[in-house]
């Protein structure tokens, strides 16, 4: 007798409805699959919602089993800059109390950080111990490089201090984090860069993490320098595209590399062993960051989250976590950018499996590799040579030659390599 297939029946794509507050690559992928757009309050299968909807609506509605929304209720525990550090520090202390000193020592991938104004006194003591150190100030609730500045003298933040000191009683100064600036970044052609990695969490109980092989590096268009006369030059020190594109040196074709290209470059420069170690450590930065919030995240079967991890590599090939984004951009400025993000979102939808095609045993879907499901999976278990598929070939990607570009990009003359 044949064994009964207990999997749910497949759904017709024409019956799948999506709602999205964005009309960019997300919209294009859903439409390309034959899904129907809706603006209904609750009659949808996928809702790509903004954070305001999560705060105002999510707790007040009852969703059906098949419905999915793209945020966890308290995702800010990992993505708000001050809480990111708070939870990483707490995880490290917990491991130390449990006498897991070797594992605790591995939580060394974030710079020394203080939250201002609450920890201003502690910061001032540290500053006086290291008077030559450069520091970077970041507002906790802003993105795209807004409000960020570097300084070497404590007097340079006097305007911020005055703003806090002279506010009327009951008002609060905008909260910032201040971090030791990494003064020795790894450079390519004398230019600073950082990496954007993509991790998809489909559950926190059990923790289930997919890491995408792709992603990209964002470059500064100016040569890196720690010259004090240029400490306030954002074009040198900040790699955010929103900042770099205002530079007169900016070109679309030179702003980004695919991570695979970086991996190949590092192998040619430092060898395969050192490069594999670095990419394995970057994967561990992602995993340990997620594990630091696993117990406090409000899990819900309707929720998933795509995180954008920003990582900086120093000249010793050590990765540093810069920040975690809960709403990484799906807007595309070039054909190669659109190609990468279209494939990324296509893979996300294949993992979520609204059409019910998956068996439930998959360890790879498109460019995503399952690296954790209540324990290590695949290469996360450890391999003698390769420690992560991050930056490896994604032969399952839709080729750029077979992808229909949106009209605004179809005529683009950008001279760039693909990012996958």
């Amino acid at each position: 007798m044949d064994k009964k297939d207990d999997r749910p029946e497949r759904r017709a794509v024409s019956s799948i409805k999506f709602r999205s507050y964005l009309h960019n690559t997300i919209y294009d992928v859903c439409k390309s699959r034959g899904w129907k757009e809706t603006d209904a309050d609750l009659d949808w299968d996928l809702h790509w919602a903004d954070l305001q909807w999560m705060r105002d609506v999510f707790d007040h509605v009852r969703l059906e089993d098949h419905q999915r929304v793209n945020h966890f209720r308290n995702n800010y525990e990992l993505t708000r800059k001050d809480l990111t550090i708070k939870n990483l520090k707490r995880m490290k202390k917990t491991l130390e109390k449990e006498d897991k000193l070797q594992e605790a020592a591995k939580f060394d991938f974030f710079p020394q950080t203080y939250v201002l104004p609450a920890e201003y006194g502690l910061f001032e003591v540290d500053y006086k111990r290291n008077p030559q150190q450069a520091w970077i100030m970041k507002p906790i609730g802003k993105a795209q490089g807004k409000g960020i500045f570097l300084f070497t003298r404590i007097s340079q933040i006097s305007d911020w201090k005055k703003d806090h000191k002279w506010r009327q009683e009951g008002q609060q100064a905008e909260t910032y984090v201040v971090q030791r600036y990494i003064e020795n970044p790894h450079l390519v052609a004398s230019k600073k860069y950082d990496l954007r990695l993509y991790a998809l969490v489909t559950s926190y109980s059990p923790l289930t993490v997919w890491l995408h092989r792709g992603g990209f590096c964002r470059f500064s268009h100016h040569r890196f320098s720690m010259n004090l006369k240029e400490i306030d030059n954002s074009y040198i020190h900040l790699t955010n595209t929103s900042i770099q594109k205002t530079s007169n040196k900016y070109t679309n074709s030179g702003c980004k590399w695919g991570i695979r290209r970086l991996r190949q470059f590092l192998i040619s420069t430092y060898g395969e062993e050192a490069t594999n170690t670095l990419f394995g450590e970057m994967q561990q930065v992602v995993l340990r960051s997620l594990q630091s919030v696993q117990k406090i995240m409000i899990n819900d079967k309707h929720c998933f989250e795509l995180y954008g991890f920003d990582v900086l590599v120093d000249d010793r090939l050590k990765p540093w976590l810069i920040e975690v984004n809960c709403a990484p951009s799906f807007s595309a400025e070039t054909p190669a950018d659109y190609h990468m993000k279209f494939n990324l979102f296509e893979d996300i939808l294949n993992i979520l499996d609204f059409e019910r095609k998956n068996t439930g045993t998959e360890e790879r879907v498109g460019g995503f590799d399952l690296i954790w499901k209540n324990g290590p999976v695949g290469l996360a278990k450890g391999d003698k040579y390769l420690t992560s598929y991050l930056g490896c070939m994604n032969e399952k990607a839709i080729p750029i030659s077979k992808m229909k570009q949106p009209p605004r990009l179809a005529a683009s003359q950008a001279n760039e390599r693909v990012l996958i």
Side-chain angles (χ1 to χ4, degrees):
M1 182 181 292
D2 292 336
K3 185 178 179 181
K4 183 181 178 181
D5 189 345
D6 293 326
R7 285 179 292 165
E9 291 184 10
R10 290 190 178 185
R11 296 180 61 192
V13 294
S14 60
S15 70
I16 299 174
K17 299 176 182 178
F18 75 95
R19 177 182 172 186
S20 174
Y21 78 103
L22 296 171
H23 272 225
N24 52 20
T25 315
I26 293 169
Y27 174 86
D28 293 348
V29 173
C30 291
K31 293 295 286 185
S32 74
R33 295 169 77 99
W35 294 8
K36 292 183 178 179
E37 185 186 19
T38 180
D39 59 1
D41 289 341
L42 288 176
D43 185 19
W44 41 260
D45 297 276
L46 169 68
H47 185 189
W48 198 265
D50 59 16
L51 296 174
Q52 191 66 44
W53 186 91
M54 292 297 295
R55 286 190 290 266
D56 295 346
V57 180
F58 183 73
D59 286 339
H60 306 289
V61 296
R62 181 185 179 278
L63 300 181
E64 300 296 331
D65 286 349
H66 66 277
Q67 293 182 289
R68 305 297 295 272
V69 65
N70 62 312
H71 295 298
F72 287 93
R73 180 65 184 83
N74 59 332
N75 63 0
Y76 50 80
E77 292 286 355
L78 183 61
T79 59
R80 210 178 78 180
K81 296 178 182 70
D82 56 335
L83 297 180
T84 305
I85 299 301
K86 174 185 174 182
N87 288 313
L88 287 170
K89 288 180 177 179
R90 189 190 64 230
M91 184 69 172
K92 184 175 183 178
K93 288 181 180 178
T94 298
L95 291 168
E96 289 170 344
K97 289 179 181 178
E98 294 174 353
D99 207 28
K100 298 177 181 177
L101 301 183
Q102 284 188 326
E103 181 61 23
K106 295 175 182 177
F107 279 76
D108 64 344
F109 52 81
F110 52 96
Q112 183 64 45
T113 305
Y114 300 95
V115 178
L116 304 186
E119 297 179 331
Y120 185 83
L122 294 173
F123 159 67
E124 193 171 28
V125 171
D126 198 350
Y127 170 85
K128 290 178 179 178
R129 289 198 197 107
N130 303 277
Q132 304 304 315
Q133 170 70 44
W135 298 82
I136 185 166
M137 288 272 285
K138 306 175 185 179
I140 64 167
K142 294 181 180 178
Q144 300 181 325
K146 295 175 183 175
I148 296 177
F149 63 94
L150 276 70
F151 65 93
T152 55
R153 299 191 309 275
I154 207 163
S155 59
Q156 290 171 279
I157 61 170
S158 58
D159 289 343
W160 179 88
K161 279 184 65 182
K162 288 177 182 177
D163 184 54
H164 169 58
K165 185 176 180 180
W166 296 109
R167 281 178 183 264
Q168 295 178 8
E169 188 176 352
Q171 289 185 312
Q172 293 294 317
E174 183 175 11
T175 302
Y176 274 68
V177 294
V178 58
Q179 295 180 317
R180 289 194 184 191
Y181 184 63
I182 298 169
E183 300 179 357
N184 61 323
H186 181 262
L187 306 177
V188 174
S190 300
K191 294 176 181 178
K192 180 181 175 180
Y193 66 92
D194 68 0
L195 296 88
R196 164 60 60 83
L197 314 179
Y198 293 102
L200 177 69
V201 176
T202 54
S203 171
Y204 272 98
S205 182
L207 180 62
T208 306
V209 184
W210 298 79
L211 184 64
H212 205 269
R213 298 182 174 203
F216 54 87
C217 310
R218 300 175 296 191
F219 283 86
S220 162
H221 279 66
H222 295 243
R223 287 178 175 271
F224 183 78
S225 169
M226 282 305 297
N227 187 323
L228 294 181
K229 293 181 180 179
E230 296 187 300
I231 199 70
D232 59 350
N233 188 334
S234 296
Y235 298 131
I236 292 175
H237 297 286
L238 304 182
T239 60
N240 308 73
T241 304
S242 56
I243 290 175
Q244 291 296 323
K245 69 192 300 184
T246 64
S247 167
N248 57 15
K249 295 184 178 182
Y250 177 79
T251 59
N252 279 341
S253 60
C255 185
K256 293 179 181 178
W257 275 14
I259 288 183
R260 181 167 177 244
R261 184 179 177 185
L262 177 69
R263 185 165 189 153
Q264 292 170 332
F265 173 81
L266 293 174
I267 288 174
S268 69
T269 308
Y270 297 97
E272 196 164 1
E273 183 178 354
T275 302
N276 285 343
T277 298
L278 167 62
F279 278 75
E281 288 176 352
M282 286 196 286
Q283 177 168 302
Q284 290 302 314
V285 166
V286 171
L287 270 178
R288 291 190 173 103
S289 299
L290 293 167
Q291 289 166 348
S292 74
V293 297
Q294 180 182 359
K295 293 183 179 179
I296 61 174
M297 199 65 71
I298 302 171
N299 192 62
D300 190 296
K301 66 181 180 181
H302 301 101
C303 299
F304 66 94
E305 192 101 37
L306 177 71
Y307 294 102
F309 282 79
D310 291 345
V311 175
L312 178 74
V313 178
D314 69 20
D315 60 9
R316 296 170 297 171
L317 297 189
K318 175 181 172 60
W320 295 89
L321 178 66
I322 303 303
E323 64 181 47
V324 186
N325 300 272
C326 65
S329 172
F330 274 96
S331 297
E333 296 186 350
T334 67
D337 200 29
Y338 183 84
H339 174 237
M340 186 272 293
K341 290 175 179 177
F342 191 103
N343 274 283
L344 174 69
F345 196 66
E346 178 82 3
D347 294 341
I348 291 171
L349 297 186
N350 287 336
I351 290 172
L352 297 176
D353 194 27
F354 291 95
E355 292 93 346
R356 300 171 184 167
K357 295 180 179 179
N358 295 347
T359 65
T361 60
E362 289 82 3
E363 291 190 3
R364 180 183 177 189
V365 175
F368 276 103
D369 295 285
L370 183 64
I371 62 171
W372 192 271
K373 188 172 184 179
N374 206 28
V377 178
L379 290 180
K381 295 178 181 176
D383 184 275
K384 184 177 180 181
Y385 299 106
L386 191 64
T387 53
S388 174
Y389 285 120
L390 183 63
C392 291
M393 177 181 287
N394 176 16
E395 76 286 357
K396 297 186 178 184
I398 302 168
I400 193 170
S401 60
K402 295 184 178 180
M403 183 172 292
K404 183 180 179 181
Q405 296 280 344
R408 64 183 179 83
L409 296 178
S412 173
Q413 300 298 315
N415 181 23
E416 57 177 349
R417 295 190 185 187
V418 295
L419 297 175
I420 294 179

